[in-house]
Each structure stands twice: as C-alpha cells, then as structure tokens.
Amino acid sequence: NAGVTQTPKFQVLKTGQSMTLQCAQDMNHEYMSWYRQDPGMGLRLIHYSVGAGITDQGEVPNGYNVSRSTTEDFPLRLLSAAPSQTSVYFCASSTTGTAQPQHFGDGTRLSIL
Amino acid sequence: AQSVAQPEDQVNVAEGNPLTVKCTYSVSGNPYLFWYVQYPNRGLQFLLKYITGDNLVKGSYGFEAEFNKSQTSFHLKKPSALVSDSALYFCAVRYTSGTYKYIFGTGTRLKVLA
C-alpha cells in the first residue's frame, strides 16, 4: 500500500514552460487536493476534487489547472510557469466521509527560474 | 472571514516538560479543527481533530488539544515532550460546514531540547 505518491520530487523550470505534477493514491479515496507551501504562509489550497469528473477551486487557483478522470489520479498542471509559482506542492487524499485531508504525499519541490 | 492563527513561529521546550502550541481561529458556525505535524522533507501527518463533543481531544503520539469556544482557541498540548517531537506543527480549520476547503495556519516550529 503506497498511500499518496507524488512525482517528480524535484523540478526546475524556466519561466513560461509548462509542466504537470502527478499525484496518485491507491486507497480508493474520493477526496483529493493540492496545496502549496510557502515560508511563513502555511499551506494554501489550490484545487480539490470529491470524485472523478468533479473539481473545484481553492484559495489560490490562478495559474493552475486540474482534472480528475480516475479515482486514483489527480494531476496539477502549470500551463505557463511563473517565478511566483516556486514552492513546495503537496497532494492529499481522504474519503469524503472523513472531515479532513488524511494522507499527504511527500511533496514536489518546484523552482521556476 | 474564516482564518486561523498560530501566534508563535517557534516554541522551545526542555525534554520532559509539558508543551503547548497555540492556535486561534475565526469561522462562522461550528468549527472543525485539526492539528498536523510535518517532519523535514515529508508531507503532513494528521494528529487529531475536534468536530463536536468533549473539549479535550486525544490524538496520535500522546498529543492532545483543548477546544475553547469562548476564547476561539484550539491549543495543542503534550504532558511530557520528547526530542523526537521536534517538528513543524500546523493548525487547520474547515472553511465552512459542508465544504472540503481547509485553511491552514502558518505553522509553529517546535524545538525540544535535550
């Protein structure tokens, strides 16, 4: 049981490049979400999903796209990377019957030059 | 507006002493409150939550938290700190009832000194 797997662990991009951060879970969780963690700002919700085909915006959605075609996968897309998107990105999952994000991946450290 | 505050960037405590990490919140309606811990280069780990019921909530690794409605606080506590408790701690609140949006505090770094 792998839990929540995020790939890649590290990535460096140039401004304007596109990229997809991958998140997969093997627990059949309906709820998945993406957060970014910045120093002094805690975690901020980017997008979330409560099931395949259902997504919604969080606190800081601009510059990011998501889709949920399967229960297992919830990729985060940066269409045109900007230096302000340099951050550590975390994916989390849980059942919708649980009140909170229960399982987190180990993060993707993204630098935009 | 919904918010959560962790007023201390860092808390230092001697091993064996009790520890408290503070959290205050502002939400409309009944709050759903949570504590998480983060070790270096890892994702967050869920510690405990308050939804309803007893104001003293017990969680993982000997941690507990006390919900105080009048003071709008949800402080994390442990009777006897361990060096291995040194980590970054986050308080979080569910945005509003019936949603899956969560607001996290800015985090408090706990340092337990041997």
Side-chain angles (χ1 to χ4, degrees):
Chain A
N1 188 341
V4 178
T5 302
Q6 290 184 237
T7 56
K9 295 188 183 303
F10 303 93
Q11 185 69 48
V12 178
L13 292 177
K14 294 181 179 179
T15 298
Q17 287 185 315
S18 62
M19 176 172 187
T20 299
L21 279 59
Q22 301 291 345
C23 176
Q25 52 90 10
D26 60 359
M27 297 169 283
N28 202 33
H29 285 168
E30 305 96 341
Y31 176 81
M32 297 185 73
S33 54
W34 277 102
Y35 290 86
R36 58 178 290 173
Q37 182 178 20
D38 301 294
M41 301 190 74
L43 274 76
R44 292 180 292 169
L45 179 64
I46 305 172
H47 286 285
Y48 67 98
S49 169
V50 297
I54 306 170
T55 63
D56 204 350
Q57 296 181 350
E59 183 183 357
V60 288
N62 292 341
Y64 307 96
N65 281 353
V66 292
S67 60
R68 185 91 179 271
S69 57
T70 67
T71 299
E72 294 78 19
D73 300 300
F74 190 44
L76 179 71
R77 297 182 184 86
L78 284 71
L79 297 179
S80 179
S84 61
Q85 294 177 304
T86 293
S87 187
V88 182
Y89 292 84
F90 289 98
C91 180
S93 77
S94 66
T95 64
T96 50
T98 303
Q100 73 287 341
Q102 185 76 19
H103 301 272
F104 281 79
D106 285 339
T108 294
R109 283 156 180 76
L110 184 62
S111 293
I112 314 294
L113 304 178
Chain B
Q2 327 284 28
S3 65
V4 60
Q6 294 181 244
E8 302 156 318
D9 290 336
Q10 182 161 321
V11 170
N12 296 327
V13 63
E15 188 176 29
N17 282 2
L19 69 87
T20 299
V21 182
K22 296 179 180 178
C23 173
T24 59
Y25 66 90
S26 174
V27 297
S28 56
N30 294 322
Y32 285 24
L33 297 157
F34 313 93
W35 275 102
Y36 293 83
V37 60
Q38 185 181 33
Y39 296 101
N41 301 314
R42 300 301 302 274
L44 276 66
Q45 295 180 30
F46 170 72
L47 283 178
L48 52 79
K49 67 182 174 185
Y50 173 83
I51 305 298
T52 186
D54 194 347
N55 289 344
L56 185 64
V57 179
K58 295 188 183 296
S60 306
Y61 312 121
F63 284 94
E64 57 190 28
E66 186 170 11
F67 171 66
N68 188 317
K69 188 172 184 178
S70 63
Q71 297 186 5
T72 61
S73 67
F74 188 56
H75 300 333
L76 182 70
K77 300 181 180 183
K78 188 174 183 182
S80 179
L82 300 172
V83 172
S84 57
D85 292 330
S86 298
L88 188 57
Y89 290 82
F90 289 97
C91 181
V93 62
R94 191 166 181 172
Y95 197 76
T96 57
S97 177
T99 74
Y100 293 94
K101 295 184 179 181
Y102 302 85
I103 300 173
F104 283 77
T106 53
T108 298
R109 188 164 301 280
L110 174 67
K111 190 170 184 179
V112 181
L113 308 171

